[in-house]
Amino acid sequence: MSKDDEDAYEVGYGRPPKKARFKKGRSGNPKGRPKGSKNFKSIVKDELGRPVEIRVNGQRRKVSQFEAVVMRAVGDAISGKPRQIGLIMDLPNRFGLIEDEERLVRALAPEDQRILERIIMRRVEEALKVLS
C-alpha cells in the first residue's frame, strides 16, 4: 500500500486504523471463554437428558430426567392440581405442537370440553374476585 492509498483510507465507525486492527490468526479476546466450557443452555440440556430410573405401574423403567418431569406434571394434572393443568394445557402452544387453541378444544370429547370450560370459568371468576 502506498502512502497515497493510506491517506485516502477513511477511518471511522467499523473502519479502524490499519495499525490498530487485529493481526491475522490472533484472537481479539485471548483470555476469553476456555474451550470446552459450557453455557447455561448446554448444562440444562445435558442434565435433563441424563437417564433416571422410575417406577411405572410397579415396573422399573429408565427415562430421561426431562421425560420424568413431564410424566409427573401430567400425572399431577390428571389428579386435579390446577397449576399443572394449566401448564399441561399450555405445552402444545409453547412448543408449536398445534397452531391454534381451537383445534385442541375441537379434538376433545364434548364432555371434556364442558369440563375444560368450567375450569376456565372458575379461574376467570377467581381472577375477578382478586381484582375486585
Side-chain angles (χ1 to χ4, degrees):
M1 196 178 249
S2 71
K3 184 73 172 156
D4 293 332
D5 290 339
E6 286 182 22
D7 292 337
Y9 178 75
E10 190 176 326
V11 175
Y13 182 78
R15 298 180 59 96
K18 299 276 185 189
K19 291 179 182 175
R21 291 184 180 183
F22 296 127
K23 308 296 182 245
K24 289 209 180 249
R26 212 77 209 265
S27 169
N29 184 12
K31 291 185 179 180
R33 184 169 57 104
K35 286 186 178 183
S37 65
K38 296 180 178 183
N39 61 16
F40 181 76
K41 183 177 177 179
S42 61
I43 291 170
V44 170
K45 186 177 175 183
D46 289 347
E47 190 61 32
L48 289 176
R50 282 205 182 120
V52 64
E53 203 170 89
I54 61 171
R55 286 186 181 269
V56 179
N57 297 328
Q59 294 181 341
R60 289 183 180 191
R61 184 173 160 199
K62 272 195 174 184
V63 296
S64 70
Q65 289 184 16
F66 180 74
E67 188 175 354
V69 168
V70 171
M71 290 170 72
R72 177 69 180 261
V74 170
D76 287 348
I78 291 170
S79 68
K81 294 187 179 177
R83 181 175 282 175
Q84 299 304 74
I85 292 171
L87 173 76
I88 296 302
M89 294 304 290
D90 190 42
L91 283 178
N93 290 329
R94 281 191 184 192
F95 294 100
L97 301 175
I98 58 170
E99 282 73 39
D100 60 49
E101 295 174 13
E102 290 178 13
R103 276 196 9 216
L104 174 64
V105 172
R106 280 196 304 264
L108 295 174
E111 60 194 45
D112 291 335
Q113 287 181 17
R114 286 191 293 277
I115 292 170
L116 185 58
E117 287 170 3
R118 276 188 263 152
I119 291 170
I120 292 169
M121 289 306 296
R122 217 177 306 141
R123 288 188 131 194
V124 168
E125 289 170 3
E126 289 171 5
L128 289 174
K129 286 180 185 175
V130 170
L131 295 174
S132 299

